[in-house]
């Protein structure tokens, strides 16, 4: 009988997550993922003005800011049948690309890095040797022995103060930390640089969106920022994007590869089986054909056979979740689901016990990983002109086989690689916007009439595949559903007992010390959890099955 | 080198001139409504105060947008705040420890700084079903709030959710969500916004560090320096409002000329906040400047009282 360990709260994520594992023979034998908070935004949306929905749903998450806003306006655009102008499509894509750059940078350094980087070890580093290491691996223009010495001194002063703040009571010195003191110091310096850069990068959202977090310029029918389509604003956006991309390519990716080279064994830990991507960044009105990041689903790791996505095959199951059950799992637009009206009992011990506020989405009944790795695998399988060479060259640089992609390391690397690919598109999209304006088209909004109907917005956002479904009656929201990346990745088991991706990924993880189960954080964090997004109420009363148009 | 000089040297190494930094302190001092004589003292606060005051940051039913808004702070950057200005002893988004090590860190900080720490709360508190809709470490938000908040020297509710309930409290409020002050019957200093402008939190903290007290508050517990005037009264488009020059459609020539957005649903006249003046993201923009009508996000219950957002009030 294994030892049961609970890790709650999982920190360095968004939201409230509880992970329970059973450890036997030094490895994870079983795992349960539990979302611990419920707000009920879909219930709150009932009866409201569909044009307002994007403001509400954007507050699903302030780390994944913007993404629900764009998914929502796309769904309502679809419902009312409005075609947004070209400039609006470009602005929405540019804001989304900016979000990818920002979100992935912050994730690597400020949410994930401390699983791989030992800050206390950095205090023992030789600053000169650190500078040499940085010159060899990094393209950063900031460096030198004095620089690393000052970073080290700053950390030392902080530690000497005795007020350890975010570093208190952590896992420093754990044998699973493999970086040299110099690599640790280099990473700490870059952590601080990235913290400063992300504040600047967020200005891209403020330029066309008014502010970040929670930009406000999207509307059904287009965008509101017509007065910002000036050379000055566009140049400001472009140059911040370029500065951010410069950091991505010269600091983030080299750090990612340097860290990966010390942790190659994690290419064999934390993998999943099926991968789903809706795709993103429409290049024209045709979807999914024009999506820069393509749509597809991969089963059984067979990347050579990418299947098309049929969203009618998506179901959500609440057997193990704290909702009243309605029978078999149903498509988002069908079925009754209601949160249990009680302080829920957490039960992972019994075979049918409910243990999470998160529902269990499945595709053809199968549990699917979504996110950077799913997108990169689908793109790779389809021979994507930018992503395939990036993946191949990374595998070669690290000297690891393609199977290593199906792992915590692969997932973490994919996050970086897609940032390169997406960030590199920004300049061409900006130039397309400029050309359009030069040709005299400054339209940003298409007027429309509100009407009854239904619509869907499929997107692929930093954490994965995101879908919003809306049904409008008498000018009000009759029904609103969203199935969110972290619901896919971090939900509970389903009625058939299939584990969610994170639960599957945790099985077999080596645990050096059950009292300090740091290793599981590496895999959990590799999914970049957003639990506030993951949990939302599914619709009240609807027994009808609605026909859903695949965009 | 004295501590202050060392700080300016570090800023310079990062491309921030002393002049820019003093400009920021001047702006911050002005935002707080203090006289110019305070400018060098504000600068001193950031150049390492005598001791780092402890902060315990609690996350309840939130989207983490408020923490993210603080990450956007520039001069001081968040690393300055965390490494030199404050002792942020508990913050779930940033901290290295997880699980019971994290819980121990919270407990240790509350004991060590009993009666002395600033508690910052983000997110609202579930009260229905014994608070069962929201938990951390197996304890409800309600339990945690009741245990930690009364032991703080002062509690700042940051963001509309912590102040007034926010989006989880919008009708029909399935979880019985309330602002933290209402949930446990405690007076909090309220910095609302969805999310707020971090300059208002930094200004409040500086006021506390400098003057040893919290700034003057209005009847809703909001600092007057930030929430004493309406958005409308500070709006650069106000003359268009007075002249009857309104944008009636998004993307219209009037919208392109920056006309008043009142007819498109702007809630500026009903909303107390300093957005038009402080602006967001290092003064880059604010919603109205990007053509988006104000949604009143710092007002209590705005999700219910200010909707539908795109209809004239």
């Amino acid at each position: 009988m294994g030892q049961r360990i609970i890790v709650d709260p999982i920190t360095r994520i968004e939201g409230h997550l509880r992970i329970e594992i059973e450890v036997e023979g030094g490895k994870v034998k079983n795992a349960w993922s539990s979302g611990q908070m419920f707000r009920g935004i879909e219930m709150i949306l009932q009866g409201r003005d569909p044009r307002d929905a994007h403001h509400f749903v954007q507050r699903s998450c302030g780390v994944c800011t913007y993404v629900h806003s764009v998914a929502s306006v796309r769904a309502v655009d679809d419902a009312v049948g409005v075609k947004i102008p070209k400039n609006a499509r470009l602005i929405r894509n540019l804001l989304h690309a900016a979000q990818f750059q920002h979100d992935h940078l912050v994730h690597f350094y400020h949410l994930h890095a401390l699983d791989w980087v030992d800050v206390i070890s950095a205090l023992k580093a030789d600053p000169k040797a650190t500078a040499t290491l940085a010159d060899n691996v990094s393209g950063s223009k900031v460096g030198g022995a004095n620089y690393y010495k000052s970073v080290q001194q700053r950390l030392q002063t902080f530690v000497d103060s005795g007020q350890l703040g975010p570093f208190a009571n952590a896992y420093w010195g754990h044998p699973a930390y493999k970086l040299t003191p110099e690599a640790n110091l280099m990473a700490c310096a870059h952590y601080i640089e990235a913290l400063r850069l992300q504040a600047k990068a967020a200005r891209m959202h403020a330029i066309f969106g008014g502010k970040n977090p929670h930009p406000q310029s999207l509307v059904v029918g287009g965008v509101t920022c017509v007065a910002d389509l000036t050379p000055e604003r566009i140049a400001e956006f472009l140059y911040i994007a370029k500065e951010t991309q410069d950091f991505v390519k010269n600091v983030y990716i080299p750090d990612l590869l340097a860290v990966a080279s010390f942790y190659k064994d994690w290419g064999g830990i934390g993998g999943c089986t099926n991968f789903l991507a809706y795709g993103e960044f429409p290049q024209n009105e045709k979807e999914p054909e024009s999506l820069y990041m393509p749509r597809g689903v991969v089963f059984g790791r067979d990347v050579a056979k990418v299947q098309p996505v049929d969203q009618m095959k998506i179901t959500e199951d609440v057997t193990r979740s704290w909702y009243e059950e309605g029978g078999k799992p149903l498509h988002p637009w069908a079925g009754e689901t209601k949160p249990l009206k009680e302080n829920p009992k957490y039960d992972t011990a019994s075979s049918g016990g409910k243990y999470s506020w998160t529902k269990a989405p499945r595709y053809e009944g199968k549990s699917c990983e979504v996110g950077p790795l799913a997108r990169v695998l689908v793109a790779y399988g389809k021979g994507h002109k930018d992503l395939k060479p990036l993946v191949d060259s990374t595998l070669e640089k690290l000297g690891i086989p393609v199977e290593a992609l199906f792992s915590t390391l692969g997932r973490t690397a994919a996050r970086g690689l897609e940032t390169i690919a997406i960030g590199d598109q920004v300049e061409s999209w900006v130039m397309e916007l400029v050309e359009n304006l030069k040709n005299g088209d400054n339209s940003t909004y298409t007027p429309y009439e509100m009407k009854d109907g239904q619509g869907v917005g499929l997107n692929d956002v930093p954490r994965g595949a995101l879908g919003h479904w809306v049904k409008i009656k008498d000018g009000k929201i009759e029904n609103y559903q969203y199935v969110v990346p972290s619901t896919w990745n971090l939900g509970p088991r389903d009625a058939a007992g299939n584990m969610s991706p994170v639960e599957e990924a945790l099985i077999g993880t080596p645990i050096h010390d059950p009292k300090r189960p740091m290793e599981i954080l590496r895999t959990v964090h590799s999914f970049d959890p957003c639990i506030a997004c993951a949990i939302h109420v599914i619709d009240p009363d609807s027994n009808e099955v609605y026909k859903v148009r695949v965009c | 080198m004295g501590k202050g000089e060392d700080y300016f040297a570090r800023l310079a190494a990062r491309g921030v001139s002393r002049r820019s930094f003093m400009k920021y302190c001047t702006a911050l001092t002005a935002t707080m409504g203090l006289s110019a004589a305070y400018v060098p003292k504000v600068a001193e606060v950031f150049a390492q105060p005598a001791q780092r005051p402890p902060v315990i940051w609690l996350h309840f039913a939130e989207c983490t947008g408020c923490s993210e808004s603080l990450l956007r702070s520039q001069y001081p950057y968040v690393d300055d705040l965390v490494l030199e200005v404050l002792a942020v002893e508990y913050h779930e988004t940033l901290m290295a420890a997880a699980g019971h090590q994290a819980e121990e860190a919270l407990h240790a900080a509350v004991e060590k700084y009993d009666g002395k720490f600033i508690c910052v709360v983000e997110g609202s508190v579930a009260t229905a079903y014994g608070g069962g809709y929201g938990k951390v470490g197996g304890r409800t938000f309600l339990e945690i709030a009741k245990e930690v908040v009364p032991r703080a020297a002062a509690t700042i509710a940051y963001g509309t959710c912590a102040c007034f309930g926010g989006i989880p409290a919008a009708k029909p409020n399935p979880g019985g969500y309330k602002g933290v002050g209402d949930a446990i019957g405690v007076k909090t200093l309220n910095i609302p916004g969805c999310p707020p402008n971090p300059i208002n939190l930094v200004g409040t903290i500086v006021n506390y560090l400098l003057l040893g007290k919290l700034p003057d508050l209005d009847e809703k517990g909001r600092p007057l320096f930030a929430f004493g005037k309406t958005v409308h009264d500070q709006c650069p488009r106000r003359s268009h409002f007075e002249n009857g020059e309104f944008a009636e459609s998004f993307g219209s020539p009037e919208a392109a000329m920056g006309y008043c957005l009142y007819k498109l649903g702007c809630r500026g006249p009903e909303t107390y906040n300093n957005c038009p003046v402080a602006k967001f993201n290092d003064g880059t923009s604010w919603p109205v400047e990007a053509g988006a009508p104000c949604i009143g996000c710092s007002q209590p219950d705005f999700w219910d009282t200010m909707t539908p957002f795109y209809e004239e009030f």
Side-chain angles (χ1 to χ4, degrees):
Chain A
M1 180 59 188
Q3 188 185 358
R4 283 235 185 173
I5 312 284
I6 291 176
V7 186
D8 181 6
I10 296 285
T11 53
R12 283 180 286 121
I13 58 167
E14 194 296 324
H16 299 287
L17 180 67
R18 175 186 184 96
I19 296 284
E20 182 177 337
I21 53 172
E22 192 181 318
V23 179
E24 198 176 278
K27 287 191 182 203
V28 175
K29 186 172 165 214
N30 216 340
W32 296 264
S33 170
S34 167
Q36 290 278 304
M37 174 195 75
F38 174 86
R39 292 173 297 171
I41 294 179
E42 286 155 326
M43 291 167 93
I44 290 167
L45 283 169
Q46 294 287 319
R48 294 193 188 252
D49 190 320
R51 298 171 296 169
D52 290 349
H54 76 94
H55 291 294
F56 282 79
V57 297
Q58 188 167 211
R59 275 71 183 179
S60 300
C61 183
V63 181
C64 336
T65 190
Y66 181 73
V67 304
H68 290 286
S69 176
V70 71
S72 180
V73 293
R74 284 188 190 171
V76 182
D77 285 343
D78 185 42
V80 303
V82 65
K83 293 270 172 282
I84 64 173
K86 190 172 182 186
N87 291 330
R89 175 181 58 75
L90 288 163
I91 295 284
R92 288 182 183 182
N93 282 354
L94 287 169
L95 288 169
H96 202 182
Q99 179 60 23
F100 268 84
Q101 287 180 305
H102 185 278
D103 210 347
H104 284 348
L105 266 175
V106 169
H107 181 262
F108 180 74
Y109 285 103
H110 311 118
L111 301 183
H112 208 181
L114 297 183
D115 295 343
W116 313 99
V117 174
D118 185 333
V119 173
I120 303 301
S121 152
L123 300 177
K124 296 201 291 282
D126 169 21
K128 203 161 169 194
T130 307
T132 306
L133 170 69
D135 282 344
N136 282 337
V137 310
S138 171
S140 175
K141 296 167 184 64
V142 177
N146 285 338
Y147 170 66
Y148 287 107
K149 188 155 201 260
S150 73
V151 171
Q152 190 180 53
Q153 185 53 56
R154 197 174 177 204
L155 292 171
Q156 188 68 58
T157 304
F158 179 79
V159 168
D160 289 344
S161 75
Q163 292 176 301
L164 290 176
F167 302 148
N169 210 27
Y171 311 104
W172 316 122
H174 194 293
Y177 279 123
K178 299 285 186 223
L179 299 185
T180 61
E182 286 70 32
N184 283 319
L185 179 58
M186 180 181 78
C188 287
H190 293 163
Y191 176 114
I192 295 171
E193 286 174 40
L195 205 52
R196 281 153 186 263
L197 181 73
Q198 59 79 33
K200 189 169 190 181
R203 287 173 48 196
M204 286 190 273
H205 273 192
I207 288 164
F208 294 133
K211 65 180 168 81
N212 171 290
H214 296 333
Q216 209 156 302
S217 67
L218 298 193
V219 281
V220 175
V223 297
T224 66
C225 54
V226 59
D228 294 295
L229 300 186
T230 61
E232 307 82 53
R233 279 303 218 189
I234 292 171
E236 202 184 343
F237 184 95
L238 179 61
Y239 283 93
I240 295 174
K242 283 166 90 125
E243 187 180 338
T244 306
Q245 192 67 354
D246 189 79
F247 188 90
V248 166
K249 289 171 131 163
N250 287 311
V251 186
Y252 168 26
I253 300 305
D255 278 354
L256 174 63
L257 294 176
V259 169
S261 67
F262 283 92
Y263 290 106
K264 284 188 199 171
D265 52 329
W266 282 81
I269 300 168
C272 297
T273 309
N274 308 309
F275 303 89
L276 173 65
Y278 294 158
E280 190 49 75
F281 303 110
Q283 302 300 290
N284 57 49
E285 283 162 20
K286 282 182 161 12
E287 293 184 37
E289 297 88 341
S290 78
L291 297 174
Y292 174 74
M293 296 297 288
R295 179 174 297 173
V297 59
V298 168
F299 294 119
R301 300 186 175 182
D302 192 353
V303 180
K305 292 209 202 73
V306 178
Q307 310 287 336
V309 173
D310 174 5
Q311 59 152 327
M312 285 309 292
K313 296 181 175 178
I314 296 168
T315 56
E316 283 196 289
D317 183 88
V318 297
T319 309
R320 309 298 299 267
S321 315
W322 289 315
Y323 300 91
E324 292 171 27
E325 286 174 56
K328 64 179 173 65
L330 293 162
H331 185 275
W333 275 355
E336 300 184 341
T337 317
K338 291 169 179 146
L340 295 179
K341 293 194 173 120
E342 63 190 47
N343 185 341
K345 223 165 66 71
Y346 175 81
D347 178 10
T348 57
S350 24
S351 65
K354 291 170 175 289
Y355 63 94
S356 178
W357 282 115
T358 318
K359 305 183 77 179
R362 297 291 184 260
Y363 184 88
E364 277 185 359
K366 299 185 180 69
S367 173
C368 292
E369 174 175 344
V370 302
L373 183 57
R375 286 189 285 267
V376 166
L377 291 173
V378 165
Y380 189 84
K382 289 186 159 193
H384 194 278
K385 66 172 173 63
D386 299 322
L387 277 158
K388 188 168 192 309
L390 274 171
V391 172
D392 285 335
S393 68
T394 303
L395 292 173
E396 197 186 310
K397 260 187 222 146
L398 289 173
I400 55 179
V402 71
E403 291 70 37
L405 289 172
F406 308 106
S407 69
T408 294
L409 188 67
R411 189 174 300 119
T412 306
R415 184 168 288 113
L417 297 182
E418 74 170 5
T419 313
I420 298 179
I422 293 166
D424 276 352
Q425 293 307 300
V426 169
E427 183 157 9
S428 64
W429 294 339
V430 168
M431 288 308 142
E432 205 183 318
L433 176 68
V434 168
E435 263 318 296
N436 212 38
L437 293 168
K438 269 162 73 169
N439 291 337
D441 175 13
N442 76 336
S443 79
T444 50
Y445 175 77
T446 306
Y448 61 91
E449 292 293 318
M450 184 54 65
K451 58 186 221 250
D452 289 1
Q454 63 211 31
V456 57
L458 294 184
N459 307 260
D460 234 307
V461 308
R463 286 162 186 80
L466 171 64
H468 281 226
W469 287 262
V470 66
K471 207 169 178 301
I472 301 170
K473 186 147 186 256
D474 301 329
K476 302 242 183 294
I477 294 171
E478 188 184 44
N479 193 6
Y480 199 104
Q481 296 285 318
Y482 44 127
V483 184
V484 180
S486 291
T487 322
W488 285 99
N489 285 336
L490 292 128
R493 287 151 168 74
D494 58 30
N498 297 313
M499 289 184 283
S500 65
V502 73
E503 291 172 335
E504 178 191 345
L506 285 171
I507 308 296
T509 304
I511 302 286
H512 173 81
D513 172 7
K515 288 202 196 65
R516 311 172 88 199
M518 199 188 79
E519 296 91 338
I520 68 140
L521 294 179
R522 291 178 172 167
T523 292
V524 172
H525 286 144
S526 73
F527 286 95
D528 192 358
C530 182
I531 305 304
C533 282
I535 296 160
H536 41 271
V537 182
I538 301 298
D539 66 307
D541 331 319
S542 141
N543 279 321
E544 292 182 44
V545 175
Y546 297 104
K547 226 176 14 185
V548 174
R549 187 157 58 89
V550 177
C551 286
Chain B
M1 266 186 187
K3 282 183 187 160
E5 287 305 309
D6 177 55
Y7 180 76
F8 289 122
R10 273 192 285 107
L11 279 182
R14 282 191 290 265
V16 180
S17 67
R18 183 193 296 239
R19 189 157 171 273
S20 305
F21 176 70
M22 295 308 281
K23 264 174 72 177
Y24 172 80
C25 289
T26 307
L28 184 58
T29 313
T31 306
M32 290 162 52
L34 299 176
S35 83
Y38 278 106
V39 174
K41 287 195 184 300
V42 169
E44 253 178 58
V45 163
F46 291 128
Q48 203 148 0
Q51 53 185 327
R52 290 191 286 132
V55 172
I56 291 177
W57 191 296
L58 300 176
H59 286 83
F60 294 141
E62 35 80 32
C63 79
T64 312
C66 293
S67 285
E68 286 279 348
S69 76
L70 187 61
L71 248 55
R72 308 296 181 262
S73 177
Q74 292 184 244
Y75 331 124
Y77 285 97
V78 152
D79 58 285
D80 289 314
L81 287 170
V82 172
L83 293 177
E84 275 97 26
V85 178
L86 303 169
V88 181
E89 299 291 273
Y90 187 81
H91 191 295
E92 284 161 22
T93 318
L94 290 175
M95 64 196 290
H100 68 87
Q101 281 94 359
E103 286 193 285
E104 282 161 21
L106 173 60
H107 184 70
V110 173
E111 292 303 315
K112 183 174 175 188
Y113 298 110
D114 195 0
K116 299 199 196 97
F117 62 91
I118 302 176
C119 187
V120 179
V121 180
E122 178 176 356
S124 50
V125 177
T127 61
Y129 320 116
Y133 278 18
K135 295 182 185 167
V136 183
R139 297 194 300 156
T140 63
F141 299 153
L142 190 58
E143 265 177 83
I144 297 169
K146 281 183 180 166
E147 182 197 304
V148 176
V149 169
R151 300 176 72 177
T155 298
I156 298 174
Y158 187 60
T160 304
C161 291
C163 295
F164 305 125
I167 188 166
K171 294 192 174 70
N173 194 350
Y177 280 98
K178 295 182 179 177
V180 63
D182 287 336
I184 62 172
V186 163
K187 255 184 109 59
T188 53
L189 185 155
N190 294 324
I191 302 179
C194 190
N197 194 326
I199 205 173
N200 295 334
L201 178 63
V202 174
T204 300
I205 290 173
V206 167
N207 197 101
Y208 181 73
L209 294 177
L210 207 56
L211 304 174
K213 66 177 181 69
L214 297 172
D216 293 335
L217 308 176
D218 72 1
E219 79 287 352
K220 289 185 169 61
R222 301 176 297 194
L224 281 164
F225 77 79
F227 300 94
K229 298 185 185 155
T230 62
V231 167
H232 188 57
D233 283 346
Q234 301 167 94
C235 184
R237 299 188 181 196
R238 181 63 182 269
S239 54
H240 290 301
F241 174 87
E242 302 297 347
N243 290 343
E245 290 157 348
F246 299 104
E248 310 232 9
S249 171
F250 295 116
S252 62
E254 293 77 22
M257 287 192 285
Y259 279 12
C260 176
L261 300 176
Y262 187 70
K263 295 203 169 178
L264 289 172
C266 187
R267 303 296 184 239
E270 286 79 35
T271 305
Y272 287 84
N273 209 336
N274 59 357
C275 315
V277 176
K279 302 217 294 189
F280 292 89
N281 306 102
D282 197 26
T284 300
S285 194
W286 65 294
V288 168
E289 186 172 335
C294 169
I295 62 172
C297 75
S298 47
Q299 294 302 113
D301 307 317
F302 78 96
W303 295 106
D304 294 327
T305 61
M306 304 286 197
T307 46
F309 290 126
Y310 296 105
E311 295 293 321
E312 194 179 319
F313 213 50

